[in-house]
Amino acid sequence: MAQKKSGQLFAAAQQIGKSLFLPIAVLPFAGILLGIGSSFTNETTIATYGLSGILHPGTILYSLMMMLNYAGNAIFSNLALIFALAVALGMAKKEKGVAVLSAGIFYLIMLTTISVLLTLTGSIVDGEIADTVKEGAITSMLGIQTLQMGVFGGIIAGVIAAVLCNKFYKTQLPDALSFFAGTRFVPIVSMIFGIVTGAILFIVWPMIQNGIFALGSLVQASGYAGTFIYGCIERALIPFGLHHIFYMPFWQTGVGGSAVIDGVTVMGAQNIFFAQLASPETTKFSVDACRFLTGKYPFMMGGLPGAALAMYMTARPEKKKQTGSLLFSVALTSFLTGVTEPIEFTFLFLAPALFAIHVVFAGLSFMTCHILNICVGTTFSDGLIDLILYGVLPGQAKSNWIMLIPVIAVYFVLYFVVFRFFILKWDLKTPGREEDGEEAHLVTKDEYRKATGVGVAGGKAAIAAANIDEKSAAILRGVGGVDNLVDIDCCATRLRLTLVDSSNVDQALLKSTGASGVVVKGAGIQVIYGPSVTIVKSNFEEFVEQVRSGAIPTSAFMGVSEEPVAAEAPAKADTPKLHDVTLSAHMNGQMLLLTEVKDEAFASCALGDGIAIEPSEGKLYAPADAVVVNVFDTKHAIGLAVADEMELLLHIGIDTVKLGGKHFEAHVKEGQQVKKGDLLVSFDMDAIKKEGYLCTTPMIVCNTDEYHSIRPLVTGQVEVGQNLLEVKG
């Protein structure tokens, strides 16, 4: 049990870490904008490089630099909101757009709730922070005065919004509230949880803040030893993909220190650096902040290229040419951009002992930069580009970047000597030293994790183990497997699939999953499930994605010889007789029996019994007093609940779902009460027919089996309001 919980926690942490990567990846470009803009609007920098003739207030170039400065600063000032949206995007399994919207709503309501409580308790009086409040505890975020939570407020909002989306995006509600069901329910429930979370954080976060301040003081007091330990841990977490989670508190919260810049209290090493970079008053970047930022430059720009050279020099002569081209590219990537994974994961897999040495050298690198008071910031990875932007351009007086050059040179020699020594001493199989017949190659992160299970929640067992959705698995078997599947879609009642070869379809197997019929048209197939098809489609899409990603091996379900048994219907208890209902004509036109409809699914009554009308005008009316249960996105079909018993489907045209809503206009919405004869949908008959579609409109009683009989009352021409179909309970 403990191992299972540990695996779940690791999986959650890893997923959050992966989600953080997207906003972190945005920071380099935002940092470039801020770095260039702030440097070339700073009077000292302009004077140092003799640019006062072309760069001064009033010139177009100076105005452009100001815009770059403020554009970059806008990103760093609103990181919490960006993290909220990105985490929700990364952690939502489906309906990611809904999750992102919900995260934004959740975050705003959470902040507002905290702001109201701070006002009610006297921490904020008439918009001013009370003197009794600890400095830096309250800040303004998106114009809302609230507790200083940094990016963690955004991460909390993103995680909870994603969890709510994953749990509730298929929620079904009673007919009267069905408009708010499914994806629409997620933002609503997010509002409620935003209020609750805000109230909880109002009580809990001050205690967390005190802990952060205390931890920050401890880290600051630990001096060079603390910096060394920080550097070692940051590198050691690389194989697990958790390094983002580790360094984020140092970069974005009081753990990484605090400083007052231009009258504003700023917390977190990266926030402090960029606030100082943007401030015209800065004369020297904070050493206490940069101790968590600068330390990667020596081993990324010097150490790892030195390690690559050591591997090249120790390669077998006949493999040196091939090995050299591979290692040169990764060494250059590390030097220029600070992207080190291609080379780190290579010796991590082929020679783990070298990675252990690398971890220690990384810690020493951070400590050395701290001792030498080198203050070069970073957005993402410490390469030549960041060095120029955040060290060279701001100037030697602010960053002390010149001292970094000899350190980088020493690290190049150090890694080369040490790695070469141990490769030869231990006969390590680094690139170019493989056995005869093996091609020299670098090990990717995915190859490493697949081979070792490290960095995968649950280890190797998790790669093979998977929960199989039997119904979706049966559908996939029934259509010939994932390689035979091209596209997945659905309309009001049918799962619509496009296949490579429809001759591989097993109709009996598909019907065993609860389908009432299967229609094959060329490379297309329609599996009829009725109004519940949207949930079937969502589950099937998720299952197919897992199969295609390798999370579920095809051998786990394609080799099963037994056909799955459809879920047994619960034994019917004695229920009261349903009410008799008389339905009127839903449009003006020629009445047709279902057997006359030119569509196999309707003609076979696979969806249920009823009638159809060939319309004489483009208007659909309510055939009885009812509640609108579904208005399909394509507006070609509407579901009604009559007398809270009858499930009625009105479907305008044949295959008109393919029009995507074009030529249709809905006049009602889900959850609305309608009266007999109310206009539901208007549509352009001529345009629909011009595009090659029939306008024949069936009216189907989807729960036909619950009624004793269904019979038409008239034939021929019918008018709206005329009694048309008798349904006996």
Side-chain angles (χ1 to χ4, degrees):
M1 182 64 72
Q3 186 176 6
K4 182 178 179 181
K5 287 184 178 179
S6 175
Q8 291 173 341
L9 287 174
F10 179 84
Q14 186 185 49
Q15 194 173 10
I16 293 172
K18 288 171 64 178
S19 300
L20 296 180
F21 190 79
L22 179 59
I24 289 171
V26 172
L27 297 186
F29 189 71
I32 289 172
L33 296 180
L34 181 59
I36 294 174
S38 61
S39 294
F40 290 107
T41 54
N42 183 280
E43 293 181 6
T44 303
T45 304
I46 293 172
T48 300
Y49 294 104
L51 300 173
S52 57
I54 58 173
L55 275 176
H56 57 80
T59 64
I60 295 177
L61 186 57
Y62 186 89
S63 300
L64 176 61
M65 292 299 116
M66 286 291 290
M67 283 190 282
L68 296 182
N69 185 9
Y70 280 97
N73 201 37
I75 300 298
F76 288 97
S77 298
N78 296 289
L79 273 181
L81 175 62
I82 294 170
F83 271 69
L85 304 179
V87 169
L89 176 67
M91 295 193 66
K93 296 176 182 176
K94 297 293 292 184
E95 302 295 348
K96 291 181 178 290
V98 175
V100 171
L101 172 64
S102 301
I105 292 171
F106 185 105
Y107 184 62
L108 291 172
I109 290 180
M110 181 182 76
L111 294 184
T112 302
T113 301
I114 295 172
S115 181
V116 171
L117 291 172
L118 288 171
T119 302
L120 293 175
T121 56
S123 296
I124 299 175
V125 181
D126 296 330
E128 299 293 329
I129 300 172
D131 295 336
T132 55
V133 177
K134 188 170 183 177
E135 186 177 359
I138 295 177
T139 188
S140 178
M141 180 60 64
L142 301 173
I144 303 169
Q145 286 184 305
T146 187
L147 290 174
Q148 170 64 274
M149 295 181 289
V151 296
F152 283 95
I155 292 172
I156 290 168
V159 169
I160 296 177
V163 170
L164 294 175
C165 183
N166 293 338
K167 183 174 179 62
F168 292 114
Y169 79 96
K170 294 180 185 176
T171 296
Q172 295 180 332
L173 297 174
D175 290 344
L177 299 174
S178 60
F179 174 76
F180 303 107
T183 55
R184 295 188 183 100
F185 187 65
V186 178
I188 296 171
V189 76
S190 295
M191 294 181 191
I192 298 170
F193 274 83
I195 295 172
V196 173
T197 305
I200 293 172
L201 288 175
F202 171 75
I203 299 170
V204 173
W205 193 260
M207 293 183 281
I208 297 175
Q209 273 186 332
N210 290 333
I212 289 174
F213 289 141
L215 180 58
S217 298
L218 178 63
V219 170
Q220 298 294 339
S222 64
Y224 302 135
T227 307
F228 170 77
I229 294 171
Y230 168 86
C232 289
I233 295 175
E234 194 273 342
R235 277 299 95 179
L237 290 176
I238 285 286
F240 304 95
L242 300 180
H243 51 301
H244 302 307
I245 293 177
F246 172 73
Y247 68 62
M248 197 55 62
F250 292 89
W251 284 20
Q252 298 294 331
T253 76
V255 177
S258 62
V260 178
I261 302 167
D262 296 336
V264 178
T265 300
V266 181
M267 296 183 184
Q270 190 179 58
N271 293 332
I272 292 171
F273 176 82
F274 281 104
Q276 290 184 329
L277 181 65
S279 172
E281 304 300 321
T282 301
T283 57
K284 172 69 176 176
F285 294 134
S286 169
V287 176
D288 286 336
C290 290
R291 64 190 285 201
F292 304 114
L293 304 173
T294 311
K296 289 190 283 188
Y297 283 103
F299 66 81
M300 286 186 171
M301 294 184 66
L304 292 175
L309 180 61
M311 293 181 198
Y312 170 74
M313 295 299 292
T314 56
R316 297 168 64 173
E318 65 273 17
K319 293 188 176 184
K320 273 194 172 183
K321 184 176 181 180
Q322 180 187 11
T323 304
S325 62
L326 290 172
L327 291 171
F328 176 77
S329 64
V330 297
L332 185 62
T333 299
S334 179
F335 178 80
L336 292 177
T337 67
V339 176
T340 61
E341 287 182 340
I343 188 169
E344 280 182 315
F345 275 91
T346 292
F347 62 73
L348 172 61
F349 181 73
L350 299 175
L354 294 181
F355 187 79
I357 295 171
H358 172 54
V359 166
V360 175
F361 283 174
L364 291 172
S365 177
F366 275 89
M367 187 175 71
T368 301
C369 291
H370 187 189
I371 292 171
L372 296 176
N373 293 333
I374 303 171
C375 300
V376 181
T378 182
T379 54
F380 173 56
S381 290
D382 304 46
L384 179 63
I385 296 172
D386 275 12
L387 174 58
I388 292 172
L389 287 172
Y390 311 122
V392 178
L393 287 181
Q396 167 67 12
K398 290 182 180 179
S399 64
N400 193 25
W401 68 270
I402 292 178
M403 284 300 299
L404 194 56
I405 305 305
V407 178
I408 292 172
V410 168
Y411 257 70
F412 178 85
V413 175
L414 178 66
Y415 269 69
F416 172 75
V417 172
V418 172
F419 271 53
R420 184 179 184 278
F421 173 79
F422 284 111
I423 289 171
L424 295 175
K425 179 177 177 62
W426 294 334
D427 192 23
L428 300 175
K429 301 303 180 185
T430 50
R433 294 175 60 81
E434 299 86 359
E435 301 295 335
D436 291 335
E438 291 185 29
E439 186 177 352
H441 77 289
L442 301 175
V443 178
T444 66
K445 176 167 61 178
D446 289 339
E447 286 177 322
Y448 169 77
R449 290 180 175 171
K450 185 175 181 180
T452 64
V454 174
V456 178
K460 288 185 177 180
I463 298 173
N467 293 322
I468 303 296
D469 176 356
E470 290 296 342
K471 184 170 184 175
S472 296
I475 295 172
L476 193 54
R477 288 202 303 276
V479 299
V482 71
D483 292 336
N484 197 42
L485 183 62
V486 177
D487 185 53
I488 304 171
D489 201 353
C490 76
C491 65
T493 55
R494 316 176 197 189
L495 181 66
R496 293 170 174 261
L497 307 175
T498 304
L499 308 179
V500 176
D501 183 0
S502 60
S503 66
N504 292 330
V505 172
D506 185 336
Q507 295 196 29
L509 179 54
L510 290 173
K511 288 179 180 178
S512 77
T513 65
S516 56
V518 179
V519 178
V520 179
K521 294 182 178 180
I525 175 176
Q526 300 172 9
V527 190
I528 303 163
Y529 288 103
S532 65
V533 70
T534 54
I535 294 175
V536 175
K537 171 181 176 277
S538 294
N539 290 334
F540 186 57
E541 280 183 322
E542 291 174 13
F543 182 79
V544 170
E545 285 176 9
Q546 288 179 300
V547 173
R548 284 179 170 156
S549 69
I552 297 179
T554 54
S555 59
F557 63 93
M558 286 302 289
V560 179
S561 58
E562 318 85 58
E563 293 183 357
V565 180
E568 293 185 8
K572 287 188 177 180
D574 291 334
T575 55
K577 176 178 176 289
L578 298 181
H579 295 89
D580 295 344
V581 177
T582 299
L583 300 173
S584 67
H586 51 290
M587 49 179 42
N588 298 315
Q590 179 77 23
M591 181 271 204
L592 301 174
L593 297 175
L594 283 188
T595 53
E596 299 177 88
V597 176
K598 297 177 181 179
D599 180 88
E600 184 178 338
F602 288 120
S604 65
C605 296
L607 297 172
D609 205 351
I611 55 89
I613 293 178
E614 192 66 50
S616 58
E617 65 172 352
K619 295 184 185 298
L620 174 70
Y621 298 90
D625 294 350
V627 175
V628 179
V629 178
N630 285 314
V631 178
F632 291 86
D633 292 339
T634 48
K635 295 173 282 191
H636 76 293
I638 283 187
L640 300 177
V642 180
D644 291 328
E645 296 175 341
M646 179 182 292
E647 299 170 8
L648 197 63
L649 174 68
L650 304 173
H651 193 288
I652 303 171
I654 306 301
D655 280 343
T656 47
V657 65
K658 297 176 182 177
L659 292 171
K662 189 167 58 170
H663 311 312
F664 294 91
E665 181 182 359
H667 301 287
V668 293
K669 59 185 180 181
E670 293 178 3
Q672 181 176 333
Q673 295 273 355
V674 295
K675 295 290 186 181
K676 175 182 172 181
D678 285 352
L679 179 63
L680 303 178
V681 179
S682 55
F683 54 98
D684 189 335
M685 286 178 52
D686 293 336
I688 292 171
K689 290 179 179 179
K690 189 175 181 180
E691 297 214 30
Y693 296 94
L694 296 173
C695 291
T696 310
T697 302
M699 177 169 65
I700 305 295
V701 179
C702 296
N703 55 336
T704 294
D705 293 343
E706 299 177 20
Y707 287 91
H708 178 68
S709 66
I710 298 176
R711 71 180 185 90
L713 298 175
V714 296
T715 58
Q717 287 293 128
V718 294
E719 295 182 354
V720 172
Q722 180 180 354
N723 289 342
L724 181 59
L725 195 67
E726 180 185 73
V727 184
K728 290 286 188 180

PDB file of all heavy atoms in Angstrom, residues 20-32:
ATOM      1  N   LEU A  20       4.809  22.254 -15.720  1.00  0.00           N
ATOM      2  CA  LEU A  20       5.542  23.492 -15.480  1.00  0.00           C
ATOM      3  C   LEU A  20       6.491  23.818 -16.623  1.00  0.00           C
ATOM      4  O   LEU A  20       6.887  24.976 -16.796  1.00  0.00           O
ATOM      5  CB  LEU A  20       6.349  23.394 -14.178  1.00  0.00           C
ATOM      6  CG  LEU A  20       5.567  23.241 -12.874  1.00  0.00           C
ATOM      7  CD1 LEU A  20       6.529  23.153 -11.701  1.00  0.00           C
ATOM      8  CD2 LEU A  20       4.613  24.403 -12.679  1.00  0.00           C
ATOM      9  N   PHE A  21       6.842  22.810 -17.406  1.00  0.00           N
ATOM     10  CA  PHE A  21       7.847  23.028 -18.446  1.00  0.00           C
ATOM     11  C   PHE A  21       7.365  24.004 -19.514  1.00  0.00           C
ATOM     12  O   PHE A  21       8.158  24.762 -20.061  1.00  0.00           O
ATOM     13  CB  PHE A  21       8.229  21.697 -19.093  1.00  0.00           C
ATOM     14  CG  PHE A  21       9.432  21.797 -19.995  1.00  0.00           C
ATOM     15  CD1 PHE A  21      10.705  21.827 -19.458  1.00  0.00           C
ATOM     16  CD2 PHE A  21       9.289  21.889 -21.367  1.00  0.00           C
ATOM     17  CE1 PHE A  21      11.819  21.930 -20.276  1.00  0.00           C
ATOM     18  CE2 PHE A  21      10.397  21.998 -22.197  1.00  0.00           C
ATOM     19  CZ  PHE A  21      11.664  22.017 -21.643  1.00  0.00           C
ATOM     20  N   LEU A  22       6.051  24.000 -19.801  1.00  0.00           N
ATOM     21  CA  LEU A  22       5.538  24.895 -20.844  1.00  0.00           C
ATOM     22  C   LEU A  22       5.721  26.363 -20.467  1.00  0.00           C
ATOM     23  O   LEU A  22       6.305  27.124 -21.245  1.00  0.00           O
ATOM     24  CB  LEU A  22       4.071  24.579 -21.137  1.00  0.00           C
ATOM     25  CG  LEU A  22       3.404  25.466 -22.197  1.00  0.00           C
ATOM     26  CD1 LEU A  22       4.143  25.374 -23.522  1.00  0.00           C
ATOM     27  CD2 LEU A  22       1.939  25.070 -22.377  1.00  0.00           C
ATOM     28  N   PRO A  23       5.259  26.804 -19.284  1.00  0.00           N
ATOM     29  CA  PRO A  23       5.506  28.222 -18.957  1.00  0.00           C
ATOM     30  C   PRO A  23       6.980  28.531 -18.766  1.00  0.00           C
ATOM     31  O   PRO A  23       7.431  29.639 -19.096  1.00  0.00           O
ATOM     32  CB  PRO A  23       4.732  28.433 -17.644  1.00  0.00           C
ATOM     33  CG  PRO A  23       4.565  27.073 -17.066  1.00  0.00           C
ATOM     34  CD  PRO A  23       4.443  26.154 -18.248  1.00  0.00           C
ATOM     35  N   ILE A  24       7.748  27.557 -18.264  1.00  0.00           N
ATOM     36  CA  ILE A  24       9.190  27.780 -18.113  1.00  0.00           C
ATOM     37  C   ILE A  24       9.836  27.990 -19.480  1.00  0.00           C
ATOM     38  O   ILE A  24      10.738  28.820 -19.651  1.00  0.00           O
ATOM     39  CB  ILE A  24       9.845  26.591 -17.370  1.00  0.00           C
ATOM     40  CG1 ILE A  24       9.422  26.603 -15.897  1.00  0.00           C
ATOM     41  CG2 ILE A  24      11.368  26.646 -17.469  1.00  0.00           C
ATOM     42  CD1 ILE A  24       9.840  25.364 -15.143  1.00  0.00           C
ATOM     43  N   ALA A  25       9.337  27.259 -20.486  1.00  0.00           N
ATOM     44  CA  ALA A  25       9.891  27.384 -21.836  1.00  0.00           C
ATOM     45  C   ALA A  25       9.558  28.730 -22.471  1.00  0.00           C
ATOM     46  O   ALA A  25      10.218  29.158 -23.415  1.00  0.00           O
ATOM     47  CB  ALA A  25       9.365  26.249 -22.721  1.00  0.00           C
ATOM     48  N   VAL A  26       8.529  29.401 -21.947  1.00  0.00           N
ATOM     49  CA  VAL A  26       8.180  30.730 -22.466  1.00  0.00           C
ATOM     50  C   VAL A  26       9.152  31.791 -21.944  1.00  0.00           C
ATOM     51  O   VAL A  26       9.378  32.820 -22.588  1.00  0.00           O
ATOM     52  CB  VAL A  26       6.728  31.091 -22.044  1.00  0.00           C
ATOM     53  CG1 VAL A  26       6.399  32.535 -22.401  1.00  0.00           C
ATOM     54  CG2 VAL A  26       5.745  30.148 -22.706  1.00  0.00           C
ATOM     55  N   LEU A  27       9.739  31.521 -20.777  1.00  0.00           N
ATOM     56  CA  LEU A  27      10.562  32.528 -20.118  1.00  0.00           C
ATOM     57  C   LEU A  27      11.787  32.976 -20.927  1.00  0.00           C
ATOM     58  O   LEU A  27      12.144  34.155 -20.860  1.00  0.00           O
ATOM     59  CB  LEU A  27      11.007  32.022 -18.746  1.00  0.00           C
ATOM     60  CG  LEU A  27       9.887  31.764 -17.730  1.00  0.00           C
ATOM     61  CD1 LEU A  27      10.471  31.401 -16.380  1.00  0.00           C
ATOM     62  CD2 LEU A  27       8.960  32.956 -17.610  1.00  0.00           C
ATOM     63  N   PRO A  28      12.472  32.084 -21.651  1.00  0.00           N
ATOM     64  CA  PRO A  28      13.643  32.575 -22.392  1.00  0.00           C
ATOM     65  C   PRO A  28      13.332  33.725 -23.334  1.00  0.00           C
ATOM     66  O   PRO A  28      14.056  34.718 -23.362  1.00  0.00           O
ATOM     67  CB  PRO A  28      14.119  31.326 -23.160  1.00  0.00           C
ATOM     68  CG  PRO A  28      13.678  30.185 -22.318  1.00  0.00           C
ATOM     69  CD  PRO A  28      12.364  30.612 -21.742  1.00  0.00           C
ATOM     70  N   PHE A  29      12.242  33.599 -24.108  1.00  0.00           N
ATOM     71  CA  PHE A  29      11.935  34.673 -25.052  1.00  0.00           C
ATOM     72  C   PHE A  29      11.487  35.924 -24.314  1.00  0.00           C
ATOM     73  O   PHE A  29      11.853  37.049 -24.689  1.00  0.00           O
ATOM     74  CB  PHE A  29      10.860  34.231 -26.050  1.00  0.00           C
ATOM     75  CG  PHE A  29      10.671  35.212 -27.173  1.00  0.00           C
ATOM     76  CD1 PHE A  29      11.640  35.361 -28.153  1.00  0.00           C
ATOM     77  CD2 PHE A  29       9.536  36.010 -27.238  1.00  0.00           C
ATOM     78  CE1 PHE A  29      11.484  36.276 -29.181  1.00  0.00           C
ATOM     79  CE2 PHE A  29       9.366  36.925 -28.259  1.00  0.00           C
ATOM     80  CZ  PHE A  29      10.338  37.063 -29.240  1.00  0.00           C
ATOM     81  N   ALA A  30      10.682  35.729 -23.249  1.00  0.00           N
ATOM     82  CA  ALA A  30      10.285  36.885 -22.442  1.00  0.00           C
ATOM     83  C   ALA A  30      11.519  37.541 -21.830  1.00  0.00           C
ATOM     84  O   ALA A  30      11.615  38.773 -21.744  1.00  0.00           O
ATOM     85  CB  ALA A  30       9.314  36.457 -21.346  1.00  0.00           C
ATOM     86  N   GLY A  31      12.474  36.698 -21.408  1.00  0.00           N
ATOM     87  CA  GLY A  31      13.711  37.226 -20.839  1.00  0.00           C
ATOM     88  C   GLY A  31      14.547  37.973 -21.859  1.00  0.00           C
ATOM     89  O   GLY A  31      15.198  38.975 -21.529  1.00  0.00           O
ATOM     90  N   ILE A  32      14.528  37.493 -23.098  1.00  0.00           N
ATOM     91  CA  ILE A  32      15.255  38.195 -24.166  1.00  0.00           C
ATOM     92  C   ILE A  32      14.658  39.591 -24.374  1.00  0.00           C
ATOM     93  O   ILE A  32      15.379  40.592 -24.481  1.00  0.00           O
ATOM     94  CB  ILE A  32      15.202  37.380 -25.476  1.00  0.00           C
ATOM     95  CG1 ILE A  32      16.079  36.133 -25.353  1.00  0.00           C
ATOM     96  CG2 ILE A  32      15.653  38.224 -26.663  1.00  0.00           C
ATOM     97  CD1 ILE A  32      15.952  35.168 -26.510  1.00  0.00           C
TER      98      ILE A  32
END
